Amino acid sequence: MAKLRFKVVEEAFRKKPVEVVSPTLRPSEYFGKYVFTRDKMFKYLPRDVYMQLVDVIDNGAHLERSIADAVAKGIKQWAEENGVTHYTHWFQPLTEGTAEKHDAFIEHDGKGGMIEEFSGKLLMQQEPDASSFPSGGIRNTFEARGYSAWDPTSPVFIIDDTLCIPTIFISYTGEALDYKAPLLRALRAVGKAATEVSRYFYPEVKKVTCNLGWEQEYFLVDEGLFNARPDLMLTGRTLMGHDSAKNQQMDDHYFGIIPDRVQAFMKDLEIRALELSIPCKTRHNEVAPNQFELAPIYEETNLAVDHNMLLMSLMKRVARKHGFRVLLHEKPFAGINGSGKHCNWSLSTDSGILLHAPGKTPEDNLRFVVFIVETLMAVYRHNGLLKASIMSATNAHRLGANEAPPAIISSFLGKQLTELLQHIESSDKKHLFDMAGKQGMKLDIPQIPELLIDNTDRNRTSPFAFTGNRFEFRAVGSEANCASAMIALNTAVAEALTQFKQRVDALIAQGEDQTSAILDVVREDLKTCRPIHFDGNGYSDEWTKEAAKRGLDVERSCPLIFDRYLDADTIKMFESMGVMNAKELAARNEVKWETYTKKIQIEARVMGDLSMNHIIPIATQYQSQLALNVLNMYKIFSYDEADLLTARNKEIIREIAERTQRIEKGVEELVEARRVANRINTEREKAIAYHDTVEPIMEKIRYEIDKLELTVSDECWTLPKYRELLFI
C-alpha cells in the first residue's frame, strides 16, 4: 500500500496540463451561447409574447398560462438547433445541491411512431417525488407528490443535450421545499420596503433590486491522491493528517503565479461558464496552498444564486477532465485557511442609484445613512439568525480559524463612517451632512499616479463588513447555497425598512417635516443598534466577552445555533414579510439537525474504519520492524551495548503501543457514543449528542494519529500526506 502511495504521488507530479481549445471569438461574442437570453427570446418568440414575458421578468407581472405554449415552442426550436433532446426542471432542494430529472422531447404520434413535443404545461410545471428529498416532516414517505414550477426570471440554459429550466420546488400542500421559493419572496419583500423608503428621496423610483456578488473559494487536489484518501472521498475533508512543515506561513501562494495545470483548468472552466452567462471576472491563488478563488461581476441576487449553484456543479465536471477534484468543504485541511463564499450584498434603484453608497448632495447622504443604519438594525435584531443561516457541520470548522470571521455576527464600518454616525447620533441639530467618497492619496514617487482611496478600510475578521458601497457577508461557507444567507438577510432588512417607514410616517402625520422625522428615527435606531458595531479584532478573547455583554449571540454549538430559526421574533419576521411560515421554518430546522447528524455520523464511521484498517496496521507493522531490529542488536552486541544502542527504538515501540492502544479505545468509545446518540428520537437532541459526545472523541483520535504520522517510517505510511496533497 505504501508503494501505491508513492506511485500515485509520482504520477500526480508528472501530469501535464490538459490542452484547452479556446474559441476563436472574443468572450463577449460567445457569452450566453447556451442560455435563452433576451436576444434569443426576441428572435424565437412572437413579439406580443416577448413583450409579455419581459413584463413578467422586469416588473413582476402575472405570468399567464396562455403564453406558455408559445414560449415553450420558441425555447424548443432554439434548443433543438443546439442538439438538445431532453429537458429537466432544475431546482435547489434542501440538500445544498441541485436536482434534475431528465425527460425526452418525445410522445406517441398515434400512428405507431414518435414525435418531438414540448408544451407550455411541461415548461411551467413538473412533478418530482417530494418524499425523496429532505422535507422536515412536511412530506411522509407515502406522500410523494410535490411540484416544481418555472421561474421565468432566471433564464433556461443548456447542459450537454439537456434543456435546464430553473424552478421552485413546493409540496403538494404548498410549503416551500427548496431555497429558491423563499428567496424570491424575501427579494420581493426587501424590494418593496426599500422602494417605499427610497421615495422619501427619489419619488420617481419604481423598483429596488437586490444585488449579489459572491466570491467562490475552493481547493484543487490531484484525482489520484484524492482517491487514495478515503476520508476526502467520503467526507470532503481530511479527518487526519499532520501539518506540512511548509504550508501558508510564507504567504507566497497568495496572488502568486497560477500553476500551469490549474491555469488550464481555470481557462476551461471560464469558457464553459461564460457560455452559460456566468460573468466570471476574477481568478487568483488564495492564501493556502492549492486554494484558489473565482469571482463574477455582480448580478441580481436570484440569478447570482442560480449561477453560483451551476458553477459549483460545473467546477466538479471540468476538474475531473483535468485530473483534479474540487474540494468545496469549508475546512478540508487542518492548520491552514478554510474556504468561504464572501457574499457582497447591495440594493440599487431602477435608475442605478446604489442605496448603500454615499452621494454628492446632502440629501443623497441622508439616504445613504438611512439605508446603512436600517441594515445595521436588521443585523442587530437578528444577529443570531444570520449566524444560523450560514452555520453547518462543515462551516463550523472554518469560522474563527485563521482568516475566517468568528462565530459572532458584528459589523465593521471603518473610521470615516463610524465618525459620521457618531456625529449624527450626538447632534441635536436638524441639518444634513456631507460624506466624502473616494479621496486622493499622493505618494512621494513621481512615476506613480494619485490613488483613489475608499472611504473605509477592510477588516478581515468582521463577518459583516461595510466596504464602501455595499456590505460583505464574509461568514458564508464555500459549499453552502448562499440563498440561505440571502433569505435571512433580505427578510431582516425588509422588516427594518418597513418599521422605519411606519415610524417616520407617524411623525410626519403629527406635523413634523420629513427630514426631521427621518433624522429622529435614525438617531433612535443608531442608539439601539450600537452593540452590533465593532471595528476591532474579532479573534480576541476580549471580543467574545464584550459581545456577550452587548447581548450578541455567542453560541458556538452548531445544533443550538439552529434554534434561532424558531425564536418568536424570527417566526414573526418571516411571517409578517410573507417569506416563510412557522411550519416551513420548523421543517427546515428538522432538516438542518438531521443533516448535521448524518455528516458527523459519516465522519465518525470513516474515522473508525481508517483507524482500525489503515493506521493501526501500519503502526504495528513498523513497530514489528523496530522490535526485530532490537532483537538483532542484542544478538550482535553485548547486553549493555545493545541496551544503549536500542534505547531510542524501544521508546518508539512503547510510544506506538501506547498511541495505538488509545486509538483502539477511542474507536470503541466512538462506536458507543454513536450507538447512544442514535437511540435518541428527536433530531435536535440527536444532533446535540453528536456535537457534544461524538465530535470530541474524533478530535482525541485524530491527535494520536497525527502524532503517529510523525513517528512511523514514511515508507510504511499508506495515506498521502499534507505535503503531497497541497503542493502539486
PDB file of all heavy atoms in Angstrom, residues 183-193 577-579:
ATOM      1  N   LEU A 183     -36.400  32.532  -1.250  1.00  0.00           N
ATOM      2  CA  LEU A 183     -35.513  33.607  -1.691  1.00  0.00           C
ATOM      3  C   LEU A 183     -36.275  34.618  -2.535  1.00  0.00           C
ATOM      4  O   LEU A 183     -36.140  35.832  -2.344  1.00  0.00           O
ATOM      5  CB  LEU A 183     -34.338  33.037  -2.492  1.00  0.00           C
ATOM      6  CG  LEU A 183     -33.396  34.083  -3.091  1.00  0.00           C
ATOM      7  CD1 LEU A 183     -32.690  34.881  -1.998  1.00  0.00           C
ATOM      8  CD2 LEU A 183     -32.371  33.431  -4.022  1.00  0.00           C
ATOM      9  N   LEU A 184     -37.097  34.139  -3.470  1.00  0.00           N
ATOM     10  CA  LEU A 184     -37.882  35.044  -4.302  1.00  0.00           C
ATOM     11  C   LEU A 184     -38.829  35.881  -3.447  1.00  0.00           C
ATOM     12  O   LEU A 184     -39.018  37.079  -3.700  1.00  0.00           O
ATOM     13  CB  LEU A 184     -38.666  34.251  -5.341  1.00  0.00           C
ATOM     14  CG  LEU A 184     -37.827  33.608  -6.463  1.00  0.00           C
ATOM     15  CD1 LEU A 184     -38.698  32.698  -7.327  1.00  0.00           C
ATOM     16  CD2 LEU A 184     -37.159  34.667  -7.317  1.00  0.00           C
ATOM     17  N   ARG A 185     -39.409  35.266  -2.420  1.00  0.00           N
ATOM     18  CA  ARG A 185     -40.293  36.022  -1.527  1.00  0.00           C
ATOM     19  C   ARG A 185     -39.511  37.066  -0.739  1.00  0.00           C
ATOM     20  O   ARG A 185     -39.971  38.197  -0.544  1.00  0.00           O
ATOM     21  CB  ARG A 185     -41.002  35.062  -0.568  1.00  0.00           C
ATOM     22  CG  ARG A 185     -41.953  34.081  -1.226  1.00  0.00           C
ATOM     23  CD  ARG A 185     -42.449  33.085  -0.196  1.00  0.00           C
ATOM     24  NE  ARG A 185     -43.178  31.968  -0.787  1.00  0.00           N
ATOM     25  CZ  ARG A 185     -43.288  30.765  -0.230  1.00  0.00           C
ATOM     26  NH1 ARG A 185     -42.700  30.524   0.927  1.00  0.00           N
ATOM     27  NH2 ARG A 185     -43.969  29.807  -0.825  1.00  0.00           N
ATOM     28  N   ALA A 186     -38.326  36.692  -0.262  1.00  0.00           N
ATOM     29  CA  ALA A 186     -37.503  37.641   0.503  1.00  0.00           C
ATOM     30  C   ALA A 186     -37.066  38.812  -0.372  1.00  0.00           C
ATOM     31  O   ALA A 186     -37.061  39.968   0.074  1.00  0.00           O
ATOM     32  CB  ALA A 186     -36.280  36.924   1.079  1.00  0.00           C
ATOM     33  N   LEU A 187     -36.722  38.530  -1.609  1.00  0.00           N
ATOM     34  CA  LEU A 187     -36.315  39.601  -2.528  1.00  0.00           C
ATOM     35  C   LEU A 187     -37.481  40.521  -2.855  1.00  0.00           C
ATOM     36  O   LEU A 187     -37.315  41.739  -2.985  1.00  0.00           O
ATOM     37  CB  LEU A 187     -35.734  38.994  -3.810  1.00  0.00           C
ATOM     38  CG  LEU A 187     -34.432  38.207  -3.642  1.00  0.00           C
ATOM     39  CD1 LEU A 187     -34.018  37.552  -4.958  1.00  0.00           C
ATOM     40  CD2 LEU A 187     -33.316  39.112  -3.122  1.00  0.00           C
ATOM     41  N   ARG A 188     -38.658  39.945  -2.979  1.00  0.00           N
ATOM     42  CA  ARG A 188     -39.853  40.772  -3.205  1.00  0.00           C
ATOM     43  C   ARG A 188     -40.109  41.666  -2.000  1.00  0.00           C
ATOM     44  O   ARG A 188     -40.417  42.861  -2.140  1.00  0.00           O
ATOM     45  CB  ARG A 188     -41.061  39.871  -3.466  1.00  0.00           C
ATOM     46  CG  ARG A 188     -42.369  40.642  -3.707  1.00  0.00           C
ATOM     47  CD  ARG A 188     -43.519  39.675  -3.872  1.00  0.00           C
ATOM     48  NE  ARG A 188     -43.709  38.873  -2.671  1.00  0.00           N
ATOM     49  CZ  ARG A 188     -44.457  37.772  -2.603  1.00  0.00           C
ATOM     50  NH1 ARG A 188     -45.073  37.331  -3.693  1.00  0.00           N
ATOM     51  NH2 ARG A 188     -44.581  37.110  -1.471  1.00  0.00           N
ATOM     52  N   ALA A 189     -39.953  41.108  -0.785  1.00  0.00           N
ATOM     53  CA  ALA A 189     -40.204  41.879   0.433  1.00  0.00           C
ATOM     54  C   ALA A 189     -39.222  43.032   0.582  1.00  0.00           C
ATOM     55  O   ALA A 189     -39.610  44.170   0.875  1.00  0.00           O
ATOM     56  CB  ALA A 189     -40.133  40.953   1.651  1.00  0.00           C
ATOM     57  N   VAL A 190     -37.914  42.751   0.386  1.00  0.00           N
ATOM     58  CA  VAL A 190     -36.930  43.824   0.556  1.00  0.00           C
ATOM     59  C   VAL A 190     -37.042  44.837  -0.579  1.00  0.00           C
ATOM     60  O   VAL A 190     -36.847  46.048  -0.356  1.00  0.00           O
ATOM     61  CB  VAL A 190     -35.497  43.246   0.644  1.00  0.00           C
ATOM     62  CG1 VAL A 190     -34.937  42.850  -0.718  1.00  0.00           C
ATOM     63  CG2 VAL A 190     -34.565  44.232   1.318  1.00  0.00           C
ATOM     64  N   GLY A 191     -37.397  44.387  -1.781  1.00  0.00           N
ATOM     65  CA  GLY A 191     -37.581  45.323  -2.885  1.00  0.00           C
ATOM     66  C   GLY A 191     -38.719  46.284  -2.621  1.00  0.00           C
ATOM     67  O   GLY A 191     -38.597  47.493  -2.866  1.00  0.00           O
ATOM     68  N   LYS A 192     -39.822  45.767  -2.123  1.00  0.00           N
ATOM     69  CA  LYS A 192     -40.991  46.608  -1.822  1.00  0.00           C
ATOM     70  C   LYS A 192     -40.677  47.609  -0.710  1.00  0.00           C
ATOM     71  O   LYS A 192     -40.952  48.807  -0.837  1.00  0.00           O
ATOM     72  CB  LYS A 192     -42.168  45.717  -1.404  1.00  0.00           C
ATOM     73  CG  LYS A 192     -43.444  46.455  -1.053  1.00  0.00           C
ATOM     74  CD  LYS A 192     -44.561  45.453  -0.753  1.00  0.00           C
ATOM     75  CE  LYS A 192     -45.880  46.166  -0.412  1.00  0.00           C
ATOM     76  NZ  LYS A 192     -45.799  46.921   0.846  1.00  0.00           N
ATOM     77  N   ALA A 193     -40.075  47.122   0.379  1.00  0.00           N
ATOM     78  CA  ALA A 193     -39.778  48.006   1.509  1.00  0.00           C
ATOM     79  C   ALA A 193     -38.750  49.065   1.130  1.00  0.00           C
ATOM     80  O   ALA A 193     -38.885  50.245   1.492  1.00  0.00           O
ATOM     81  CB  ALA A 193     -39.275  47.177   2.689  1.00  0.00           C
ATOM     82  N   MET A 577     -43.341  39.305   6.802  1.00  0.00           N
ATOM     83  CA  MET A 577     -42.793  39.686   5.496  1.00  0.00           C
ATOM     84  C   MET A 577     -43.253  38.743   4.385  1.00  0.00           C
ATOM     85  O   MET A 577     -42.884  38.916   3.216  1.00  0.00           O
ATOM     86  CB  MET A 577     -41.265  39.720   5.548  1.00  0.00           C
ATOM     87  CG  MET A 577     -40.676  40.805   6.455  1.00  0.00           C
ATOM     88  SD  MET A 577     -41.041  42.489   5.890  1.00  0.00           S
ATOM     89  CE  MET A 577     -42.327  42.957   7.062  1.00  0.00           C
ATOM     90  N   GLY A 578     -44.030  37.731   4.719  1.00  0.00           N
ATOM     91  CA  GLY A 578     -44.569  36.818   3.717  1.00  0.00           C
ATOM     92  C   GLY A 578     -43.534  35.913   3.079  1.00  0.00           C
ATOM     93  O   GLY A 578     -43.670  35.517   1.914  1.00  0.00           O
ATOM     94  N   VAL A 579     -42.499  35.541   3.834  1.00  0.00           N
ATOM     95  CA  VAL A 579     -41.408  34.732   3.275  1.00  0.00           C
ATOM     96  C   VAL A 579     -41.559  33.252   3.620  1.00  0.00           C
ATOM     97  O   VAL A 579     -41.495  32.390   2.745  1.00  0.00           O
ATOM     98  CB  VAL A 579     -40.039  35.265   3.751  1.00  0.00           C
ATOM     99  CG1 VAL A 579     -38.900  34.359   3.272  1.00  0.00           C
ATOM    100  CG2 VAL A 579     -39.828  36.690   3.247  1.00  0.00           C
TER     101      VAL A 579
END
